[in-house]
Amino acid sequence: MISGPQFPLPANETEVSFRPGTAAAAELSKALEQREVVDIPTVIGGKRYYSNDTVEVRAPHDTQRVLARIHRPTESQIGEAIKSSASVAKEWASLTHASRATILHRAADIVATRSRMRINAATMLGQSKTIDQAEPDSACELIDFLRFNAYNAQRVYAEQPMSVPTAVNRADWRPLEGFVYAASPFNFTAIGANLTTAPAVMGNTVLWKPSEKSALANWIFYEALEEAGLPPGVINFVPGDAELTTRVALSSPDLAGIHFTGSSAVFQSLWKGVASKVDSFRTIPRLVGETGGKDFVLAHPSANASEIAIALIRGAFEYQGQKCSAASRAYIPRSLWTAVSQEMRDRLAQLKVGDVAQFDTFMGAVISQASHQKLSRVLAAAREDASVKIVSGGKTWSEPGYFVEPTVLEVSDPKHALMKEELFGPVLSVFVYDDANWEETLQLIDSTSPYALTGSIFCTDRFALHRAEQVLINAAGNLYLNDKPTGAMIGQQPFGGGRASGTNDKAGSYLNLLRWASPRVVKETYLPPRDWQFGA
Ligand code: NAD
């Protein structure tokens, strides 16, 4: 319901500077040195549960360092969490928008102030992010999601059908009938905040299963929500085994929606799971998933070589390439390749890979042993492959953590798996095209990979740029012109892609919030029916 105060359009949260010598840098260093092992409970109906079934969270760049212990819920506790949601659902839905929005605003302020260093430190240590990557994620984007979701919900509620002199019409913006299952990925702390609060601000209750790999930072956010006054049971925190939690969620007739971000394969398995028992649910579940990418950078011969090289380094290697939007395939004209590749080699040689607690580190470790092993295999195969040339990097090492050198591969076959498949690591594959083949290259980009998340075009020729935008209309949900393909800002570039990259419901925008509402439209006439004959 919309009533009470109206909130103004928020501004994006400003990044704090952590330059050496600042008070912020000193405070963050202190938080990073903290050696307490945090016990992360399951929270159901406001009660914390600790179990013997625990999983350790370790720093990917320093695998000896234990940061936390996750206390996994049992199967029956996951069922209890669903029941607890149901018991509070009506009361939560009956609150005004302002009451719910206020909780999000308060949580945003807690993260912006007293939890900021803790959540940044947890994101840096738990997910191996440098501060240059953590602050925009676990502080700024997370805060933006909360404030913009609160604001955008108000825009949804304001949308009403027209009334006429003989009748008044209205839309009751009801939440879905049942609970929303939110399963969040490891790579952005902010995403966990969005997957939960977007449905919640629209009046839904949520079963939240965070990724085990980001559970520490996600837990700190959950504590902020509790402190902000989130009523018990509205969002239950269930850091359980992924398959078990999903099985229990999908076996409930009250499952009303899934809010997912993660790999395409897992989202497709969730979709199939729902489809196979669609007649068992009280309401047809809404499925919202933002998934993988094989994001392209296309350079036109008119582009500037240095700008391309820097965009590729930042787009492909920030956060070790573990962004869904990371540049992972590039198409560079032969006339520019010598200059672009030389500049990349020179700059990559200066780039520091290592401990994220040192503020001049550019890249930390990849998230897990499994990811490290996969990337090591891919790079070993690339070394043996006659159609692949290693332009830069290629090494991996596993002491003291899961490190992979930023790697540029020149691939002579444009349909090579390296140009198609998401690797989710610091590996950029480049195809060098003949300058005369601009048109063919556009078709190639559009048809090579199943994904369509982000893309960049570097081009100063307006006609060529226009043509590329047209041919690549379905190749990306977020397209960047003369910029790297990463770094979308809430409110500025609503995020999401099509094809195998997801349902493109644009996280952080009102379009996403529409998925968490099921409007009832009410007509009240001033002229009740009085005669059964037409035209009477
Ligand atoms: P993931 O698919 O492994 O995990 C995502 C969530 O699903 C986690 O909570 C995980 O525990 C759960 N999960 C894993 N296996 C499951 C299973 N078999 N059944 C049910 N649930 C399961 O993804 P990740 O490694 O955490 O994140 C990386 C992926 O996420 C990449 O593919 C990346 O492109 C994608 N991503 C996409 C976006 C976007 O906006 N499009 C944003 C961030 C990440």
PDB file of all heavy atoms in Angstrom, residues 181-184 209 242-243 245-247 249-250 255 257-277 281 285 287-289 291:
ATOM      1  N   TYR A 181      12.347 -17.730  -2.650  1.00  0.00           N
ATOM      2  CA  TYR A 181      13.632 -18.384  -2.359  1.00  0.00           C
ATOM      3  C   TYR A 181      14.727 -17.560  -3.032  1.00  0.00           C
ATOM      4  O   TYR A 181      14.729 -17.412  -4.257  1.00  0.00           O
ATOM      5  CB  TYR A 181      13.597 -19.815  -2.912  1.00  0.00           C
ATOM      6  CG  TYR A 181      14.878 -20.597  -2.779  1.00  0.00           C
ATOM      7  CD1 TYR A 181      15.675 -20.502  -1.641  1.00  0.00           C
ATOM      8  CD2 TYR A 181      15.292 -21.467  -3.795  1.00  0.00           C
ATOM      9  CE1 TYR A 181      16.849 -21.240  -1.516  1.00  0.00           C
ATOM     10  CE2 TYR A 181      16.455 -22.214  -3.682  1.00  0.00           C
ATOM     11  CZ  TYR A 181      17.233 -22.082  -2.536  1.00  0.00           C
ATOM     12  OH  TYR A 181      18.400 -22.812  -2.418  1.00  0.00           O
ATOM     13  N   ALA A 182      15.631 -16.987  -2.213  1.00  0.00           N
ATOM     14  CA  ALA A 182      16.735 -16.178  -2.741  1.00  0.00           C
ATOM     15  C   ALA A 182      18.038 -16.946  -2.583  1.00  0.00           C
ATOM     16  O   ALA A 182      18.424 -17.278  -1.462  1.00  0.00           O
ATOM     17  CB  ALA A 182      16.819 -14.849  -2.009  1.00  0.00           C
ATOM     18  N   ALA A 183      18.697 -17.250  -3.694  1.00  0.00           N
ATOM     19  CA  ALA A 183      19.997 -17.941  -3.642  1.00  0.00           C
ATOM     20  C   ALA A 183      21.015 -17.010  -4.282  1.00  0.00           C
ATOM     21  O   ALA A 183      20.902 -16.671  -5.467  1.00  0.00           O
ATOM     22  CB  ALA A 183      19.928 -19.273  -4.389  1.00  0.00           C
ATOM     23  N   SER A 184      21.995 -16.587  -3.477  1.00  0.00           N
ATOM     24  CA  SER A 184      22.907 -15.536  -3.948  1.00  0.00           C
ATOM     25  C   SER A 184      24.296 -16.097  -4.248  1.00  0.00           C
ATOM     26  O   SER A 184      24.707 -17.112  -3.687  1.00  0.00           O
ATOM     27  CB  SER A 184      22.976 -14.400  -2.924  1.00  0.00           C
ATOM     28  OG  SER A 184      23.270 -14.883  -1.639  1.00  0.00           O
ATOM     29  N   LYS A 209      19.360 -18.259   1.000  1.00  0.00           N
ATOM     30  CA  LYS A 209      20.516 -19.158   1.039  1.00  0.00           C
ATOM     31  C   LYS A 209      21.703 -18.443   0.390  1.00  0.00           C
ATOM     32  O   LYS A 209      21.815 -18.361  -0.828  1.00  0.00           O
ATOM     33  CB  LYS A 209      20.223 -20.450   0.259  1.00  0.00           C
ATOM     34  CG  LYS A 209      21.198 -21.543   0.632  1.00  0.00           C
ATOM     35  CD  LYS A 209      21.530 -22.497  -0.484  1.00  0.00           C
ATOM     36  CE  LYS A 209      22.425 -21.905  -1.500  1.00  0.00           C
ATOM     37  NZ  LYS A 209      23.753 -21.460  -0.992  1.00  0.00           N
ATOM     38  N   ALA A 242      23.568 -26.360  -0.752  1.00  0.00           N
ATOM     39  CA  ALA A 242      22.799 -25.773  -1.862  1.00  0.00           C
ATOM     40  C   ALA A 242      21.708 -26.723  -2.374  1.00  0.00           C
ATOM     41  O   ALA A 242      20.546 -26.325  -2.542  1.00  0.00           O
ATOM     42  CB  ALA A 242      23.736 -25.399  -2.996  1.00  0.00           C
ATOM     43  N   GLU A 243      22.089 -27.980  -2.587  1.00  0.00           N
ATOM     44  CA  GLU A 243      21.105 -28.893  -3.182  1.00  0.00           C
ATOM     45  C   GLU A 243      19.996 -29.229  -2.202  1.00  0.00           C
ATOM     46  O   GLU A 243      18.817 -29.276  -2.566  1.00  0.00           O
ATOM     47  CB  GLU A 243      21.799 -30.147  -3.698  1.00  0.00           C
ATOM     48  CG  GLU A 243      22.567 -29.813  -4.965  1.00  0.00           C
ATOM     49  CD  GLU A 243      23.281 -31.000  -5.575  1.00  0.00           C
ATOM     50  OE1 GLU A 243      22.807 -32.136  -5.401  1.00  0.00           O
ATOM     51  OE2 GLU A 243      24.315 -30.781  -6.231  1.00  0.00           O
ATOM     52  N   THR A 245      18.923 -27.396   0.394  1.00  0.00           N
ATOM     53  CA  THR A 245      18.058 -26.224   0.619  1.00  0.00           C
ATOM     54  C   THR A 245      17.109 -26.037  -0.560  1.00  0.00           C
ATOM     55  O   THR A 245      15.913 -25.785  -0.391  1.00  0.00           O
ATOM     56  CB  THR A 245      18.927 -24.957   0.825  1.00  0.00           C
ATOM     57  OG1 THR A 245      19.946 -25.258   1.767  1.00  0.00           O
ATOM     58  CG2 THR A 245      18.094 -23.794   1.337  1.00  0.00           C
ATOM     59  N   THR A 246      17.662 -26.215  -1.754  1.00  0.00           N
ATOM     60  CA  THR A 246      16.831 -26.058  -2.955  1.00  0.00           C
ATOM     61  C   THR A 246      15.746 -27.133  -3.003  1.00  0.00           C
ATOM     62  O   THR A 246      14.583 -26.843  -3.322  1.00  0.00           O
ATOM     63  CB  THR A 246      17.730 -26.142  -4.214  1.00  0.00           C
ATOM     64  OG1 THR A 246      18.694 -25.094  -4.117  1.00  0.00           O
ATOM     65  CG2 THR A 246      16.933 -25.998  -5.492  1.00  0.00           C
ATOM     66  N   ARG A 247      16.122 -28.349  -2.646  1.00  0.00           N
ATOM     67  CA  ARG A 247      15.125 -29.439  -2.682  1.00  0.00           C
ATOM     68  C   ARG A 247      13.975 -29.134  -1.726  1.00  0.00           C
ATOM     69  O   ARG A 247      12.808 -29.272  -2.085  1.00  0.00           O
ATOM     70  CB  ARG A 247      15.808 -30.777  -2.328  1.00  0.00           C
ATOM     71  CG  ARG A 247      14.892 -31.982  -2.438  1.00  0.00           C
ATOM     72  CD  ARG A 247      15.679 -33.278  -2.600  1.00  0.00           C
ATOM     73  NE  ARG A 247      16.758 -33.471  -1.642  1.00  0.00           N
ATOM     74  CZ  ARG A 247      16.584 -33.822  -0.364  1.00  0.00           C
ATOM     75  NH1 ARG A 247      15.379 -34.009   0.108  1.00  0.00           N
ATOM     76  NH2 ARG A 247      17.633 -33.991   0.428  1.00  0.00           N
ATOM     77  N   ALA A 249      13.061 -26.177  -0.573  1.00  0.00           N
ATOM     78  CA  ALA A 249      12.309 -24.996  -1.052  1.00  0.00           C
ATOM     79  C   ALA A 249      11.353 -25.390  -2.174  1.00  0.00           C
ATOM     80  O   ALA A 249      10.185 -24.993  -2.185  1.00  0.00           O
ATOM     81  CB  ALA A 249      13.277 -23.916  -1.528  1.00  0.00           C
ATOM     82  N   LEU A 250      11.848 -26.212  -3.093  1.00  0.00           N
ATOM     83  CA  LEU A 250      11.019 -26.571  -4.244  1.00  0.00           C
ATOM     84  C   LEU A 250       9.952 -27.611  -3.900  1.00  0.00           C
ATOM     85  O   LEU A 250       9.024 -27.831  -4.679  1.00  0.00           O
ATOM     86  CB  LEU A 250      11.892 -27.072  -5.401  1.00  0.00           C
ATOM     87  CG  LEU A 250      12.297 -26.003  -6.420  1.00  0.00           C
ATOM     88  CD1 LEU A 250      13.106 -24.893  -5.799  1.00  0.00           C
ATOM     89  CD2 LEU A 250      13.034 -26.625  -7.595  1.00  0.00           C
ATOM     90  N   LEU A 255       6.094 -22.158  -2.401  1.00  0.00           N
ATOM     91  CA  LEU A 255       7.142 -21.456  -3.159  1.00  0.00           C
ATOM     92  C   LEU A 255       6.462 -20.558  -4.188  1.00  0.00           C
ATOM     93  O   LEU A 255       5.755 -21.033  -5.083  1.00  0.00           O
ATOM     94  CB  LEU A 255       8.051 -22.460  -3.885  1.00  0.00           C
ATOM     95  CG  LEU A 255       9.134 -21.804  -4.754  1.00  0.00           C
ATOM     96  CD1 LEU A 255      10.269 -21.251  -3.893  1.00  0.00           C
ATOM     97  CD2 LEU A 255       9.696 -22.782  -5.783  1.00  0.00           C
ATOM     98  N   GLY A 257       8.267 -17.751  -5.656  1.00  0.00           N
ATOM     99  CA  GLY A 257       9.230 -17.137  -6.556  1.00  0.00           C
ATOM    100  C   GLY A 257      10.637 -17.559  -6.206  1.00  0.00           C
ATOM    101  O   GLY A 257      10.918 -17.992  -5.085  1.00  0.00           O
ATOM    102  N   ILE A 258      11.519 -17.460  -7.211  1.00  0.00           N
ATOM    103  CA  ILE A 258      12.949 -17.689  -6.980  1.00  0.00           C
ATOM    104  C   ILE A 258      13.675 -16.452  -7.465  1.00  0.00           C
ATOM    105  O   ILE A 258      13.450 -15.984  -8.593  1.00  0.00           O
ATOM    106  CB  ILE A 258      13.459 -18.938  -7.731  1.00  0.00           C
ATOM    107  CG1 ILE A 258      12.766 -20.201  -7.205  1.00  0.00           C
ATOM    108  CG2 ILE A 258      14.968 -19.062  -7.596  1.00  0.00           C
ATOM    109  CD1 ILE A 258      13.220 -21.506  -7.862  1.00  0.00           C
ATOM    110  N   HIS A 259      14.501 -15.891  -6.598  1.00  0.00           N
ATOM    111  CA  HIS A 259      15.328 -14.746  -6.989  1.00  0.00           C
ATOM    112  C   HIS A 259      16.766 -15.233  -6.927  1.00  0.00           C
ATOM    113  O   HIS A 259      17.315 -15.416  -5.846  1.00  0.00           O
ATOM    114  CB  HIS A 259      15.101 -13.579  -6.021  1.00  0.00           C
ATOM    115  CG  HIS A 259      15.461 -12.258  -6.618  1.00  0.00           C
ATOM    116  ND1 HIS A 259      15.520 -11.097  -5.886  1.00  0.00           N
ATOM    117  CD2 HIS A 259      15.771 -11.901  -7.893  1.00  0.00           C
ATOM    118  CE1 HIS A 259      15.843 -10.087  -6.683  1.00  0.00           C
ATOM    119  NE2 HIS A 259      16.012 -10.552  -7.893  1.00  0.00           N
ATOM    120  N   PHE A 260      17.327 -15.429  -8.107  1.00  0.00           N
ATOM    121  CA  PHE A 260      18.625 -16.112  -8.203  1.00  0.00           C
ATOM    122  C   PHE A 260      19.628 -15.263  -8.946  1.00  0.00           C
ATOM    123  O   PHE A 260      19.298 -14.598  -9.926  1.00  0.00           O
ATOM    124  CB  PHE A 260      18.420 -17.441  -8.953  1.00  0.00           C
ATOM    125  CG  PHE A 260      19.695 -18.194  -9.218  1.00  0.00           C
ATOM    126  CD1 PHE A 260      20.253 -19.003  -8.235  1.00  0.00           C
ATOM    127  CD2 PHE A 260      20.349 -18.079 -10.441  1.00  0.00           C
ATOM    128  CE1 PHE A 260      21.437 -19.704  -8.472  1.00  0.00           C
ATOM    129  CE2 PHE A 260      21.525 -18.773 -10.681  1.00  0.00           C
ATOM    130  CZ  PHE A 260      22.072 -19.592  -9.690  1.00  0.00           C
ATOM    131  N   THR A 261      20.864 -15.296  -8.498  1.00  0.00           N
ATOM    132  CA  THR A 261      21.993 -14.831  -9.312  1.00  0.00           C
ATOM    133  C   THR A 261      23.090 -15.860  -9.145  1.00  0.00           C
ATOM    134  O   THR A 261      23.412 -16.263  -8.023  1.00  0.00           O
ATOM    135  CB  THR A 261      22.484 -13.439  -8.871  1.00  0.00           C
ATOM    136  OG1 THR A 261      21.398 -12.517  -8.982  1.00  0.00           O
ATOM    137  CG2 THR A 261      23.616 -12.942  -9.759  1.00  0.00           C
ATOM    138  N   GLY A 262      23.660 -16.285 -10.278  1.00  0.00           N
ATOM    139  CA  GLY A 262      24.698 -17.312 -10.231  1.00  0.00           C
ATOM    140  C   GLY A 262      24.910 -17.853 -11.629  1.00  0.00           C
ATOM    141  O   GLY A 262      24.628 -17.170 -12.626  1.00  0.00           O
ATOM    142  N   SER A 263      25.363 -19.088 -11.706  1.00  0.00           N
ATOM    143  CA  SER A 263      25.702 -19.630 -13.019  1.00  0.00           C
ATOM    144  C   SER A 263      24.446 -20.039 -13.788  1.00  0.00           C
ATOM    145  O   SER A 263      23.408 -20.380 -13.204  1.00  0.00           O
ATOM    146  CB  SER A 263      26.635 -20.830 -12.851  1.00  0.00           C
ATOM    147  OG  SER A 263      26.014 -21.782 -12.025  1.00  0.00           O
ATOM    148  N   SER A 264      24.576 -20.032 -15.102  1.00  0.00           N
ATOM    149  CA  SER A 264      23.430 -20.378 -15.961  1.00  0.00           C
ATOM    150  C   SER A 264      22.992 -21.818 -15.713  1.00  0.00           C
ATOM    151  O   SER A 264      21.795 -22.122 -15.690  1.00  0.00           O
ATOM    152  CB  SER A 264      23.810 -20.199 -17.435  1.00  0.00           C
ATOM    153  OG  SER A 264      24.223 -18.880 -17.651  1.00  0.00           O
ATOM    154  N   ALA A 265      23.973 -22.723 -15.507  1.00  0.00           N
ATOM    155  CA  ALA A 265      23.629 -24.135 -15.333  1.00  0.00           C
ATOM    156  C   ALA A 265      22.761 -24.329 -14.087  1.00  0.00           C
ATOM    157  O   ALA A 265      21.770 -25.074 -14.128  1.00  0.00           O
ATOM    158  CB  ALA A 265      24.900 -24.966 -15.221  1.00  0.00           C
ATOM    159  N   VAL A 266      23.104 -23.658 -12.989  1.00  0.00           N
ATOM    160  CA  VAL A 266      22.300 -23.827 -11.768  1.00  0.00           C
ATOM    161  C   VAL A 266      20.909 -23.210 -11.974  1.00  0.00           C
ATOM    162  O   VAL A 266      19.900 -23.818 -11.604  1.00  0.00           O
ATOM    163  CB  VAL A 266      23.006 -23.222 -10.531  1.00  0.00           C
ATOM    164  CG1 VAL A 266      22.068 -23.205  -9.330  1.00  0.00           C
ATOM    165  CG2 VAL A 266      24.269 -24.018 -10.198  1.00  0.00           C
ATOM    166  N   PHE A 267      20.848 -22.061 -12.610  1.00  0.00           N
ATOM    167  CA  PHE A 267      19.527 -21.459 -12.819  1.00  0.00           C
ATOM    168  C   PHE A 267      18.652 -22.362 -13.696  1.00  0.00           C
ATOM    169  O   PHE A 267      17.463 -22.552 -13.431  1.00  0.00           O
ATOM    170  CB  PHE A 267      19.655 -20.065 -13.445  1.00  0.00           C
ATOM    171  CG  PHE A 267      18.331 -19.349 -13.563  1.00  0.00           C
ATOM    172  CD1 PHE A 267      17.514 -19.183 -12.450  1.00  0.00           C
ATOM    173  CD2 PHE A 267      17.886 -18.862 -14.776  1.00  0.00           C
ATOM    174  CE1 PHE A 267      16.284 -18.536 -12.540  1.00  0.00           C
ATOM    175  CE2 PHE A 267      16.661 -18.213 -14.880  1.00  0.00           C
ATOM    176  CZ  PHE A 267      15.865 -18.051 -13.762  1.00  0.00           C
ATOM    177  N   GLN A 268      19.268 -22.931 -14.724  1.00  0.00           N
ATOM    178  CA  GLN A 268      18.485 -23.832 -15.584  1.00  0.00           C
ATOM    179  C   GLN A 268      18.004 -25.042 -14.786  1.00  0.00           C
ATOM    180  O   GLN A 268      16.875 -25.513 -14.982  1.00  0.00           O
ATOM    181  CB  GLN A 268      19.330 -24.259 -16.789  1.00  0.00           C
ATOM    182  CG  GLN A 268      19.466 -23.126 -17.806  1.00  0.00           C
ATOM    183  CD  GLN A 268      20.587 -23.339 -18.806  1.00  0.00           C
ATOM    184  OE1 GLN A 268      21.208 -24.402 -18.838  1.00  0.00           O
ATOM    185  NE2 GLN A 268      20.863 -22.323 -19.616  1.00  0.00           N
ATOM    186  N   SER A 269      18.824 -25.520 -13.846  1.00  0.00           N
ATOM    187  CA  SER A 269      18.384 -26.676 -13.044  1.00  0.00           C
ATOM    188  C   SER A 269      17.232 -26.267 -12.116  1.00  0.00           C
ATOM    189  O   SER A 269      16.307 -27.049 -11.887  1.00  0.00           O
ATOM    190  CB  SER A 269      19.543 -27.297 -12.274  1.00  0.00           C
ATOM    191  OG  SER A 269      19.870 -26.511 -11.153  1.00  0.00           O
ATOM    192  N   LEU A 270      17.264 -25.034 -11.620  1.00  0.00           N
ATOM    193  CA  LEU A 270      16.146 -24.571 -10.780  1.00  0.00           C
ATOM    194  C   LEU A 270      14.873 -24.477 -11.621  1.00  0.00           C
ATOM    195  O   LEU A 270      13.783 -24.870 -11.189  1.00  0.00           O
ATOM    196  CB  LEU A 270      16.463 -23.194 -10.179  1.00  0.00           C
ATOM    197  CG  LEU A 270      17.627 -23.117  -9.190  1.00  0.00           C
ATOM    198  CD1 LEU A 270      17.907 -21.683  -8.784  1.00  0.00           C
ATOM    199  CD2 LEU A 270      17.337 -23.959  -7.951  1.00  0.00           C
ATOM    200  N   TRP A 271      15.030 -23.949 -12.822  1.00  0.00           N
ATOM    201  CA  TRP A 271      13.864 -23.793 -13.709  1.00  0.00           C
ATOM    202  C   TRP A 271      13.242 -25.160 -14.008  1.00  0.00           C
ATOM    203  O   TRP A 271      12.023 -25.351 -13.920  1.00  0.00           O
ATOM    204  CB  TRP A 271      14.301 -23.087 -15.011  1.00  0.00           C
ATOM    205  CG  TRP A 271      13.153 -22.557 -15.810  1.00  0.00           C
ATOM    206  CD1 TRP A 271      12.198 -23.287 -16.437  1.00  0.00           C
ATOM    207  CD2 TRP A 271      12.819 -21.176 -16.025  1.00  0.00           C
ATOM    208  NE1 TRP A 271      11.289 -22.461 -17.048  1.00  0.00           N
ATOM    209  CE2 TRP A 271      11.650 -21.157 -16.813  1.00  0.00           C
ATOM    210  CE3 TRP A 271      13.394 -19.963 -15.652  1.00  0.00           C
ATOM    211  CZ2 TRP A 271      11.045 -19.963 -17.227  1.00  0.00           C
ATOM    212  CZ3 TRP A 271      12.795 -18.782 -16.070  1.00  0.00           C
ATOM    213  CH2 TRP A 271      11.632 -18.788 -16.837  1.00  0.00           C
ATOM    214  N   LYS A 272      14.125 -26.125 -14.340  1.00  0.00           N
ATOM    215  CA  LYS A 272      13.617 -27.482 -14.635  1.00  0.00           C
ATOM    216  C   LYS A 272      12.944 -28.072 -13.401  1.00  0.00           C
ATOM    217  O   LYS A 272      11.907 -28.730 -13.515  1.00  0.00           O
ATOM    218  CB  LYS A 272      14.773 -28.396 -15.069  1.00  0.00           C
ATOM    219  CG  LYS A 272      15.251 -28.122 -16.475  1.00  0.00           C
ATOM    220  CD  LYS A 272      16.421 -29.029 -16.819  1.00  0.00           C
ATOM    221  CE  LYS A 272      17.134 -28.519 -18.064  1.00  0.00           C
ATOM    222  NZ  LYS A 272      18.501 -29.020 -18.177  1.00  0.00           N
ATOM    223  N   GLY A 273      13.540 -27.845 -12.238  1.00  0.00           N
ATOM    224  CA  GLY A 273      12.960 -28.369 -10.995  1.00  0.00           C
ATOM    225  C   GLY A 273      11.564 -27.818 -10.767  1.00  0.00           C
ATOM    226  O   GLY A 273      10.640 -28.567 -10.376  1.00  0.00           O
ATOM    227  N   VAL A 274      11.370 -26.538 -11.014  1.00  0.00           N
ATOM    228  CA  VAL A 274      10.042 -25.934 -10.836  1.00  0.00           C
ATOM    229  C   VAL A 274       9.089 -26.463 -11.906  1.00  0.00           C
ATOM    230  O   VAL A 274       7.947 -26.858 -11.613  1.00  0.00           O
ATOM    231  CB  VAL A 274      10.142 -24.390 -10.899  1.00  0.00           C
ATOM    232  CG1 VAL A 274       8.758 -23.756 -10.984  1.00  0.00           C
ATOM    233  CG2 VAL A 274      10.891 -23.857  -9.676  1.00  0.00           C
ATOM    234  N   ALA A 275       9.587 -26.514 -13.163  1.00  0.00           N
ATOM    235  CA  ALA A 275       8.712 -26.934 -14.264  1.00  0.00           C
ATOM    236  C   ALA A 275       8.208 -28.358 -14.045  1.00  0.00           C
ATOM    237  O   ALA A 275       7.045 -28.671 -14.334  1.00  0.00           O
ATOM    238  CB  ALA A 275       9.469 -26.840 -15.587  1.00  0.00           C
ATOM    239  N   SER A 276       9.078 -29.228 -13.499  1.00  0.00           N
ATOM    240  CA  SER A 276       8.707 -30.636 -13.378  1.00  0.00           C
ATOM    241  C   SER A 276       7.599 -30.856 -12.349  1.00  0.00           C
ATOM    242  O   SER A 276       6.994 -31.922 -12.319  1.00  0.00           O
ATOM    243  CB  SER A 276       9.939 -31.465 -13.016  1.00  0.00           C
ATOM    244  OG  SER A 276      10.321 -31.143 -11.693  1.00  0.00           O
ATOM    245  N   LYS A 277       7.342 -29.852 -11.496  1.00  0.00           N
ATOM    246  CA  LYS A 277       6.272 -30.044 -10.501  1.00  0.00           C
ATOM    247  C   LYS A 277       5.401 -28.796 -10.427  1.00  0.00           C
ATOM    248  O   LYS A 277       4.945 -28.412  -9.344  1.00  0.00           O
ATOM    249  CB  LYS A 277       6.875 -30.397  -9.144  1.00  0.00           C
ATOM    250  CG  LYS A 277       8.017 -29.476  -8.713  1.00  0.00           C
ATOM    251  CD  LYS A 277       8.409 -29.721  -7.298  1.00  0.00           C
ATOM    252  CE  LYS A 277       9.224 -31.005  -7.189  1.00  0.00           C
ATOM    253  NZ  LYS A 277       9.980 -31.065  -5.953  1.00  0.00           N
ATOM    254  N   PHE A 281       2.427 -26.304  -6.940  1.00  0.00           N
ATOM    255  CA  PHE A 281       2.499 -25.022  -6.228  1.00  0.00           C
ATOM    256  C   PHE A 281       1.146 -24.324  -6.201  1.00  0.00           C
ATOM    257  O   PHE A 281       0.382 -24.405  -7.168  1.00  0.00           O
ATOM    258  CB  PHE A 281       3.534 -24.107  -6.898  1.00  0.00           C
ATOM    259  CG  PHE A 281       4.903 -24.725  -7.007  1.00  0.00           C
ATOM    260  CD1 PHE A 281       5.430 -25.101  -8.245  1.00  0.00           C
ATOM    261  CD2 PHE A 281       5.660 -24.968  -5.867  1.00  0.00           C
ATOM    262  CE1 PHE A 281       6.678 -25.689  -8.344  1.00  0.00           C
ATOM    263  CE2 PHE A 281       6.918 -25.555  -5.956  1.00  0.00           C
ATOM    264  CZ  PHE A 281       7.425 -25.927  -7.194  1.00  0.00           C
ATOM    265  N   PRO A 285       5.233 -20.167  -9.654  1.00  0.00           N
ATOM    266  CA  PRO A 285       6.360 -19.370  -9.148  1.00  0.00           C
ATOM    267  C   PRO A 285       6.953 -18.443 -10.208  1.00  0.00           C
ATOM    268  O   PRO A 285       7.046 -18.800 -11.384  1.00  0.00           O
ATOM    269  CB  PRO A 285       7.380 -20.431  -8.717  1.00  0.00           C
ATOM    270  CG  PRO A 285       6.592 -21.679  -8.518  1.00  0.00           C
ATOM    271  CD  PRO A 285       5.486 -21.622  -9.530  1.00  0.00           C
ATOM    272  N   LEU A 287      10.161 -16.787 -11.703  1.00  0.00           N
ATOM    273  CA  LEU A 287      11.574 -17.171 -11.719  1.00  0.00           C
ATOM    274  C   LEU A 287      12.403 -16.018 -12.285  1.00  0.00           C
ATOM    275  O   LEU A 287      12.243 -15.650 -13.452  1.00  0.00           O
ATOM    276  CB  LEU A 287      11.773 -18.424 -12.569  1.00  0.00           C
ATOM    277  CG  LEU A 287      10.896 -19.619 -12.176  1.00  0.00           C
ATOM    278  CD1 LEU A 287      11.180 -20.814 -13.091  1.00  0.00           C
ATOM    279  CD2 LEU A 287      11.135 -20.022 -10.731  1.00  0.00           C
ATOM    280  N   VAL A 288      13.231 -15.464 -11.465  1.00  0.00           N
ATOM    281  CA  VAL A 288      14.081 -14.353 -11.880  1.00  0.00           C
ATOM    282  C   VAL A 288      15.529 -14.779 -11.676  1.00  0.00           C
ATOM    283  O   VAL A 288      15.926 -15.108 -10.554  1.00  0.00           O
ATOM    284  CB  VAL A 288      13.772 -13.082 -11.054  1.00  0.00           C
ATOM    285  CG1 VAL A 288      14.752 -11.967 -11.378  1.00  0.00           C
ATOM    286  CG2 VAL A 288      12.340 -12.631 -11.311  1.00  0.00           C
ATOM    287  N   GLY A 289      16.291 -14.805 -12.754  1.00  0.00           N
ATOM    288  CA  GLY A 289      17.681 -15.250 -12.627  1.00  0.00           C
ATOM    289  C   GLY A 289      18.606 -14.405 -13.476  1.00  0.00           C
ATOM    290  O   GLY A 289      18.355 -14.202 -14.678  1.00  0.00           O
ATOM    291  N   THR A 291      22.412 -14.497 -14.721  1.00  0.00           N
ATOM    292  CA  THR A 291      23.365 -15.603 -14.737  1.00  0.00           C
ATOM    293  C   THR A 291      24.672 -15.249 -15.463  1.00  0.00           C
ATOM    294  O   THR A 291      25.113 -14.112 -15.396  1.00  0.00           O
ATOM    295  CB  THR A 291      22.664 -16.848 -15.299  1.00  0.00           C
ATOM    296  OG1 THR A 291      22.209 -16.565 -16.620  1.00  0.00           O
ATOM    297  CG2 THR A 291      21.452 -17.236 -14.464  1.00  0.00           C
TER     298      THR A 291
END
